[in-house]
Amino acid sequence: MTKSKPIGLGWRSSTLFIVSTVGIGLFTDLFLYGLVVPILPFILEDRISLPEDQIQSHVSALLAAYAGASVLFSLPAGVIADRTSSRQLPFLIGLVALLGATLMLFLGQTTPVLVVARVLQGTSAAVVWTIGLALVLDTVGPGNLGKTIGSIFGFISIGELAAPVLGGVVYKKAGYPGVFGLGFGILAVDFIMRLLLIEKKVAAQWDVNSEESDGMGEEQDGNVGDEEDANEEEPLLRKKEEDSYKVPEGQSKVVKGFPILYCLKDPRLLTALLLAFNQATLLAAFDATVPTEAEELYDFDSLKSGLLFIALVLPYLLLGPIAGWLVDRFGPKPAAVLGFGYLVPVLILLRLARPGGTSQIVVYCVLLALNGIGLAVIGSPSIVEASTVVQRYAKANPDFFGEQGPYAQLYGINSMVFSLGLTLGPLVSGGLRSSFGYGNMNIVIAMLCLVTAILSCVFICGKPKILKGN
């Protein structure tokens, strides 16, 4: 018996709606994370009545609980997603976990309840990032992944960078109800969109053209920008290359259970994950240091510090899709090398920020905007490169990786790495700033970007011809 056609099948399964739903899901995760962080000390002081000398250690423990859960559950979430027929169900379950976490943070009166809430929040983050990115790949295909990820990352960066400041402002004006009321409102929108979503492969039951319209055919191999593909000796090189992605027989039970682990031997994939880690570290470093630096230099309150983030986020938001399109067109190597290379001097230039009036504030805003351009450029290369590498393994070993491939597992690992960057970024940047000053802190981060640019030149899209010759 054939099911009746769902109402609104066309727009509910459209690329725009699916990508928007994933974008809202990722935005909600980062926004609620950042919204709660500034008020954790007040929750511990007002509700739990902790002594002042214990608050910092408990805040650190709550942050660690989130990061630990996100790292721990990312890979299992990917494995489950790759072995289920639908991405929508686990995507919804992740939101239920986030709703439960937000309720517990709002009502919790004991430390264990708050810890459980943060663990649930970290688990939800693992699910939404893992399932969400896999759903994007299912929808747009490898050939359009760069511009799509660039657009999504430009949008969600607003939540990651501005939420902590906004949380502080709302708490100051409206208290806990205002902060959590804002969170529940965003959760409601997110839930409705996830519930309405219909995946392309599900919509294909009623509309045979739904998958074809978005170019999701098997012919897309996601090899955009690979240097090997630019050669004339296509047949021989392709055969040799395909053999290099073959998985030998006799793999261990662990690798068979988590087949993405075999792919981690590839230096291209490891470098792509390093890009994701450094991207998250940079975002978190700005998030942690811009408000404190603005307060110290210009005596800014939380609202004025929040407005400073506009200078950082606006270039990211406007240029992210363009940078992503360029990655789709020319491959991830130029964007990774030039993006991280460009960030080296503009990060060092942040040491020019000085105390003063309007003119000095303008200088700082310009410097932040220059860094925002770099953040836009590095937003897409990691996901595109990682997806390309894993797709080659999946095509060469369809029986080993299964019908859906290991993409959700890949994005689970990407989520782990990104979460680790978001966790270590504030700790490292805050420690460096306290010990050596803001300018020297940015020099250290700039050197990290320089190393990343060099590694990208060597490994992303394969070795350059000059290195192959040697």
Tab-separated table of all heavy atoms in Angstrom, residues 208-250:
chain	number	residue	atom	x	y	z
A	208	VAL	N	10.321	11.270	-8.431
A	208	VAL	CA	11.554	10.643	-8.939
A	208	VAL	C	12.584	11.666	-9.353
A	208	VAL	O	13.753	11.341	-9.528
A	208	VAL	CB	11.250	9.724	-10.149
A	208	VAL	CG1	10.410	8.553	-9.718
A	208	VAL	CG2	10.568	10.495	-11.272
A	209	ASN	N	12.198	12.918	-9.536
A	209	ASN	CA	13.146	13.934	-9.977
A	209	ASN	C	13.826	14.638	-8.822
A	209	ASN	O	14.675	15.487	-9.017
A	209	ASN	CB	12.423	14.999	-10.827
A	209	ASN	CG	11.883	14.419	-12.118
A	209	ASN	OD1	12.551	13.613	-12.756
A	209	ASN	ND2	10.670	14.807	-12.479
A	210	SER	N	13.416	14.316	-7.561
A	210	SER	CA	13.914	15.094	-6.437
A	210	SER	C	15.421	14.979	-6.253
A	210	SER	O	16.078	15.946	-5.934
A	210	SER	CB	13.221	14.661	-5.134
A	210	SER	OG	13.467	13.284	-4.876
A	211	GLU	N	15.968	13.769	-6.451
A	211	GLU	CA	17.408	13.620	-6.266
A	211	GLU	C	18.168	14.153	-7.469
A	211	GLU	O	19.215	14.759	-7.343
A	211	GLU	CB	17.750	12.148	-6.053
A	211	GLU	CG	17.313	11.641	-4.691
A	211	GLU	CD	17.787	10.239	-4.443
A	211	GLU	OE1	17.501	9.369	-5.268
A	211	GLU	OE2	18.447	10.025	-3.427
A	212	GLU	N	17.593	13.965	-8.671
A	212	GLU	CA	18.304	14.401	-9.862
A	212	GLU	C	18.428	15.908	-9.912
A	212	GLU	O	19.396	16.452	-10.407
A	212	GLU	CB	17.573	13.904	-11.112
A	212	GLU	CG	17.561	12.378	-11.215
A	212	GLU	CD	16.641	11.895	-12.319
A	212	GLU	OE1	16.101	12.765	-13.040
A	212	GLU	OE2	16.459	10.685	-12.450
A	213	SER	N	17.443	16.612	-9.371
A	213	SER	CA	17.437	18.070	-9.472
A	213	SER	C	18.594	18.711	-8.735
A	213	SER	O	18.950	19.842	-9.002
A	213	SER	CB	16.116	18.627	-8.915
A	213	SER	OG	15.989	18.295	-7.536
A	214	ASP	N	19.185	17.986	-7.778
A	214	ASP	CA	20.269	18.563	-7.014
A	214	ASP	C	21.617	17.959	-7.336
A	214	ASP	O	22.590	18.163	-6.641
A	214	ASP	CB	19.993	18.427	-5.512
A	214	ASP	CG	18.883	19.342	-5.066
A	214	ASP	OD1	19.140	20.544	-4.985
A	214	ASP	OD2	17.762	18.859	-4.838
A	215	GLY	N	21.665	17.180	-8.398
A	215	GLY	CA	22.956	16.657	-8.823
A	215	GLY	C	23.567	15.671	-7.875
A	215	GLY	O	24.773	15.634	-7.696
A	216	MET	N	22.745	14.846	-7.257
A	216	MET	CA	23.277	13.892	-6.298
A	216	MET	C	23.535	12.522	-6.908
A	216	MET	O	23.512	11.515	-6.251
A	216	MET	CB	22.303	13.734	-5.120
A	216	MET	CG	22.468	14.809	-4.074
A	216	MET	SD	24.091	14.735	-3.324
A	216	MET	CE	23.988	13.216	-2.415
A	217	GLY	N	23.731	12.474	-8.189
A	217	GLY	CA	23.997	11.200	-8.833
A	217	GLY	C	25.345	10.645	-8.458
A	217	GLY	O	26.212	11.324	-7.954
A	218	GLU	N	25.538	9.403	-8.750
A	218	GLU	CA	26.783	8.741	-8.395
A	218	GLU	C	27.971	9.299	-9.170
A	218	GLU	O	29.101	9.118	-8.783
A	218	GLU	CB	26.665	7.238	-8.675
A	218	GLU	CG	25.762	6.504	-7.728
A	218	GLU	CD	26.299	6.505	-6.313
A	218	GLU	OE1	27.524	6.397	-6.139
A	218	GLU	OE2	25.515	6.637	-5.382
A	219	GLU	N	27.692	10.011	-10.269
A	219	GLU	CA	28.824	10.464	-11.072
A	219	GLU	C	29.628	11.548	-10.390
A	219	GLU	O	30.737	11.843	-10.787
A	219	GLU	CB	28.333	10.979	-12.434
A	219	GLU	CG	27.516	12.276	-12.386
A	219	GLU	CD	26.042	12.005	-12.104
A	219	GLU	OE1	25.685	10.852	-11.884
A	219	GLU	OE2	25.249	12.976	-12.106
A	220	GLN	N	29.070	12.185	-9.359
A	220	GLN	CA	29.839	13.195	-8.648
A	220	GLN	C	30.853	12.497	-7.763
A	220	GLN	O	30.508	11.762	-6.873
A	220	GLN	CB	28.918	14.054	-7.772
A	220	GLN	CG	28.037	14.967	-8.585
A	220	GLN	CD	27.435	16.040	-7.700
A	220	GLN	OE1	28.034	16.441	-6.717
A	220	GLN	NE2	26.284	16.521	-8.060
A	221	ASP	N	32.106	12.734	-7.994
A	221	ASP	CA	33.107	12.034	-7.205
A	221	ASP	C	33.842	12.934	-6.250
A	221	ASP	O	34.715	12.523	-5.534
A	221	ASP	CB	34.107	11.299	-8.101
A	221	ASP	CG	34.889	12.238	-8.997
A	221	ASP	OD1	34.673	13.469	-8.914
A	221	ASP	OD2	35.727	11.746	-9.769
A	222	GLY	N	33.490	14.211	-6.238
A	222	GLY	CA	34.059	15.099	-5.236
A	222	GLY	C	35.553	15.286	-5.348
A	222	GLY	O	36.213	15.592	-4.377
A	223	ASN	N	36.114	15.121	-6.524
A	223	ASN	CA	37.554	15.233	-6.666
A	223	ASN	C	37.971	16.641	-7.083
A	223	ASN	O	38.968	16.826	-7.748
A	223	ASN	CB	38.071	14.245	-7.720
A	223	ASN	CG	37.795	12.817	-7.329
A	223	ASN	OD1	37.632	12.524	-6.148
A	223	ASN	ND2	37.734	11.932	-8.298
A	224	VAL	N	37.198	17.618	-6.697
A	224	VAL	CA	37.443	18.987	-7.120
A	224	VAL	C	38.811	19.441	-6.651
A	224	VAL	O	39.169	19.319	-5.491
A	224	VAL	CB	36.372	19.928	-6.534
A	224	VAL	CG1	36.630	21.354	-6.974
A	224	VAL	CG2	34.992	19.484	-6.968
A	225	GLY	N	39.578	19.983	-7.562
A	225	GLY	CA	40.827	20.625	-7.220
A	225	GLY	C	41.991	19.707	-6.969
A	225	GLY	O	43.078	20.159	-6.665
A	226	ASP	N	41.810	18.405	-7.015
A	226	ASP	CA	42.938	17.510	-6.784
A	226	ASP	C	43.943	17.662	-7.923
A	226	ASP	O	43.597	17.612	-9.088
A	226	ASP	CB	42.474	16.047	-6.738
A	226	ASP	CG	41.846	15.735	-5.393
A	226	ASP	OD1	41.498	16.696	-4.689
A	226	ASP	OD2	41.703	14.533	-5.090
A	227	GLU	N	45.201	17.774	-7.560
A	227	GLU	CA	46.218	18.013	-8.578
A	227	GLU	C	46.367	16.826	-9.506
A	227	GLU	O	46.691	16.962	-10.671
A	227	GLU	CB	47.540	18.321	-7.880
A	227	GLU	CG	47.480	19.628	-7.106
A	227	GLU	CD	48.861	20.118	-6.760
A	227	GLU	OE1	49.823	19.690	-7.419
A	227	GLU	OE2	48.986	20.931	-5.868
A	228	GLU	N	46.082	15.629	-8.957
A	228	GLU	CA	46.245	14.451	-9.791
A	228	GLU	C	45.290	14.459	-10.973
A	228	GLU	O	45.570	13.896	-12.021
A	228	GLU	CB	45.985	13.193	-8.947
A	228	GLU	CG	46.975	13.013	-7.808
A	228	GLU	CD	46.472	13.656	-6.533
A	228	GLU	OE1	45.596	14.522	-6.621
A	228	GLU	OE2	46.970	13.303	-5.460
A	229	ASP	N	44.099	15.078	-10.788
A	229	ASP	CA	43.071	15.027	-11.805
A	229	ASP	C	43.337	15.989	-12.963
A	229	ASP	O	42.620	15.981	-13.950
A	229	ASP	CB	41.713	15.364	-11.186
A	229	ASP	CG	41.295	14.303	-10.178
A	229	ASP	OD1	41.911	13.222	-10.215
A	229	ASP	OD2	40.392	14.563	-9.396
A	230	ALA	N	44.339	16.844	-12.789
A	230	ALA	CA	44.614	17.823	-13.834
A	230	ALA	C	45.555	17.276	-14.902
A	230	ALA	O	45.870	17.946	-15.868
A	230	ALA	CB	45.221	19.082	-13.205
A	231	ASN	N	45.999	16.055	-14.720
A	231	ASN	CA	46.970	15.502	-15.658
A	231	ASN	C	46.299	14.904	-16.878
A	231	ASN	O	45.145	14.519	-16.862
A	231	ASN	CB	47.807	14.412	-14.961
A	231	ASN	CG	48.626	14.978	-13.826
A	231	ASN	OD1	49.181	16.055	-13.957
A	231	ASN	ND2	48.688	14.260	-12.711
A	232	GLU	N	47.081	14.744	-17.942
A	232	GLU	CA	46.582	14.151	-19.167
A	232	GLU	C	46.506	12.630	-19.053
A	232	GLU	O	45.698	11.974	-19.687
A	232	GLU	CB	47.512	14.516	-20.339
A	232	GLU	CG	47.483	15.994	-20.715
A	232	GLU	CD	46.155	16.404	-21.298
A	232	GLU	OE1	45.473	15.556	-21.923
A	232	GLU	OE2	45.766	17.563	-21.134
A	233	GLU	N	47.399	12.054	-18.216
A	233	GLU	CA	47.484	10.595	-18.119
A	233	GLU	C	46.398	10.050	-17.204
A	233	GLU	O	46.656	9.341	-16.242
A	233	GLU	CB	48.868	10.184	-17.592
A	233	GLU	CG	50.033	10.730	-18.392
A	233	GLU	CD	50.467	12.109	-17.903
A	233	GLU	OE1	49.830	12.611	-16.971
A	233	GLU	OE2	51.412	12.674	-18.453
A	234	GLU	N	45.140	10.422	-17.502
A	234	GLU	CA	44.024	10.094	-16.624
A	234	GLU	C	43.860	8.607	-16.341
A	234	GLU	O	43.827	8.203	-15.184
A	234	GLU	CB	42.726	10.646	-17.213
A	234	GLU	CG	42.551	12.141	-17.037
A	234	GLU	CD	42.145	12.492	-15.621
A	234	GLU	OE1	41.581	11.618	-14.935
A	234	GLU	OE2	42.415	13.617	-15.201
A	235	PRO	N	43.734	7.749	-17.361
A	235	PRO	CA	43.383	6.354	-17.074
A	235	PRO	C	44.382	5.647	-16.155
A	235	PRO	O	43.992	5.035	-15.172
A	235	PRO	CB	43.345	5.705	-18.469
A	235	PRO	CG	43.115	6.844	-19.415
A	235	PRO	CD	43.823	7.997	-18.813
A	236	LEU	N	45.677	5.747	-16.480
A	236	LEU	CA	46.681	5.054	-15.679
A	236	LEU	C	46.752	5.611	-14.271
A	236	LEU	O	46.840	4.865	-13.288
A	236	LEU	CB	48.057	5.173	-16.356
A	236	LEU	CG	48.253	4.331	-17.619
A	236	LEU	CD1	49.607	4.622	-18.240
A	236	LEU	CD2	48.135	2.841	-17.281
A	237	LEU	N	46.721	6.940	-14.175
A	237	LEU	CA	46.796	7.567	-12.859
A	237	LEU	C	45.587	7.217	-12.015
A	237	LEU	O	45.703	6.954	-10.815
A	237	LEU	CB	46.907	9.091	-13.007
A	237	LEU	CG	48.290	9.607	-13.408
A	237	LEU	CD1	48.246	11.099	-13.632
A	237	LEU	CD2	49.320	9.273	-12.338
A	238	ARG	N	44.414	7.217	-12.635
A	238	ARG	CA	43.190	6.897	-11.888
A	238	ARG	C	43.233	5.456	-11.371
A	238	ARG	O	42.839	5.176	-10.245
A	238	ARG	CB	41.962	7.106	-12.772
A	238	ARG	CG	41.553	8.566	-12.880
A	238	ARG	CD	40.175	8.679	-13.523
A	238	ARG	NE	39.774	10.063	-13.618
A	238	ARG	CZ	39.217	10.745	-12.631
A	238	ARG	NH1	39.026	10.174	-11.459
A	238	ARG	NH2	38.863	12.009	-12.794
A	239	LYS	N	43.721	4.532	-12.209
A	239	LYS	CA	43.805	3.137	-11.782
A	239	LYS	C	44.788	2.986	-10.625
A	239	LYS	O	44.508	2.322	-9.621
A	239	LYS	CB	44.261	2.276	-12.968
A	239	LYS	CG	44.381	0.791	-12.644
A	239	LYS	CD	43.001	0.188	-12.376
A	239	LYS	CE	43.080	-1.330	-12.241
A	239	LYS	NZ	43.811	-1.757	-11.054
A	240	LYS	N	45.937	3.616	-10.760
A	240	LYS	CA	46.940	3.547	-9.703
A	240	LYS	C	46.428	4.188	-8.421
A	240	LYS	O	46.617	3.668	-7.320
A	240	LYS	CB	48.221	4.261	-10.179
A	240	LYS	CG	49.371	4.189	-9.178
A	240	LYS	CD	50.593	4.887	-9.729
A	240	LYS	CE	51.721	4.853	-8.716
A	240	LYS	NZ	52.925	5.575	-9.198
A	241	GLU	N	45.746	5.307	-8.581
A	241	GLU	CA	45.208	6.028	-7.432
A	241	GLU	C	44.109	5.224	-6.741
A	241	GLU	O	44.042	5.148	-5.515
A	241	GLU	CB	44.660	7.387	-7.897
A	241	GLU	CG	44.151	8.260	-6.769
A	241	GLU	CD	43.612	9.556	-7.304
A	241	GLU	OE1	44.396	10.478	-7.551
A	241	GLU	OE2	42.393	9.634	-7.492
A	242	GLU	N	43.245	4.591	-7.542
A	242	GLU	CA	42.159	3.793	-6.980
A	242	GLU	C	42.714	2.632	-6.166
A	242	GLU	O	42.199	2.304	-5.091
A	242	GLU	CB	41.260	3.272	-8.117
A	242	GLU	CG	39.861	2.935	-7.667
A	242	GLU	CD	38.956	2.625	-8.842
A	242	GLU	OE1	38.639	3.557	-9.601
A	242	GLU	OE2	38.600	1.447	-8.988
A	243	ASP	N	43.777	2.021	-6.664
A	243	ASP	CA	44.406	0.927	-5.928
A	243	ASP	C	44.960	1.398	-4.589
A	243	ASP	O	44.962	0.651	-3.606
A	243	ASP	CB	45.528	0.312	-6.760
A	243	ASP	CG	44.996	-0.459	-7.975
A	243	ASP	OD1	43.797	-0.802	-7.972
A	243	ASP	OD2	45.780	-0.697	-8.919
A	244	SER	N	45.444	2.632	-4.549
A	244	SER	CA	46.023	3.147	-3.298
A	244	SER	C	44.973	3.353	-2.216
A	244	SER	O	45.310	3.474	-1.035
A	244	SER	CB	46.759	4.469	-3.564
A	244	SER	OG	45.838	5.503	-3.868
A	245	TYR	N	43.690	3.392	-2.621
A	245	TYR	CA	42.614	3.569	-1.642
A	245	TYR	C	41.955	2.241	-1.261
A	245	TYR	O	41.008	2.233	-0.471
A	245	TYR	CB	41.557	4.534	-2.183
A	245	TYR	CG	42.026	5.962	-2.221
A	245	TYR	CD1	42.505	6.530	-3.402
A	245	TYR	CD2	42.026	6.749	-1.080
A	245	TYR	CE1	42.963	7.832	-3.440
A	245	TYR	CE2	42.466	8.054	-1.101
A	245	TYR	CZ	42.937	8.591	-2.291
A	245	TYR	OH	43.381	9.889	-2.319
A	246	LYS	N	42.439	1.139	-1.792
A	246	LYS	CA	41.891	-0.162	-1.455
A	246	LYS	C	42.251	-0.529	-0.010
A	246	LYS	O	43.380	-0.309	0.438
A	246	LYS	CB	42.443	-1.241	-2.392
A	246	LYS	CG	41.862	-1.205	-3.796
A	246	LYS	CD	40.433	-1.740	-3.805
A	246	LYS	CE	39.897	-1.846	-5.228
A	246	LYS	NZ	38.492	-2.318	-5.230
A	247	VAL	N	41.275	-1.083	0.706
A	247	VAL	CA	41.503	-1.523	2.079
A	247	VAL	C	41.894	-3.004	2.057
A	247	VAL	O	41.128	-3.835	1.558
A	247	VAL	CB	40.242	-1.332	2.939
A	247	VAL	CG1	40.474	-1.858	4.352
A	247	VAL	CG2	39.842	0.144	2.980
A	248	PRO	N	43.065	-3.349	2.573
A	248	PRO	CA	43.493	-4.759	2.556
A	248	PRO	C	42.572	-5.646	3.402
A	248	PRO	O	41.894	-5.167	4.318
A	248	PRO	CB	44.903	-4.702	3.169
A	248	PRO	CG	45.316	-3.278	3.094
A	248	PRO	CD	44.073	-2.462	3.157
A	249	GLU	N	42.569	-6.904	3.087
A	249	GLU	CA	41.789	-7.866	3.874
A	249	GLU	C	42.409	-8.031	5.267
A	249	GLU	O	43.553	-7.666	5.508
A	249	GLU	CB	41.784	-9.220	3.157
A	249	GLU	CG	41.096	-9.204	1.790
A	249	GLU	CD	39.589	-9.051	1.907
A	249	GLU	OE1	39.041	-9.397	2.981
A	249	GLU	OE2	38.966	-8.584	0.940
A	250	GLY	N	41.599	-8.620	6.162
A	250	GLY	CA	42.112	-8.962	7.486
A	250	GLY	C	42.180	-7.815	8.462
A	250	GLY	O	43.060	-7.790	9.335
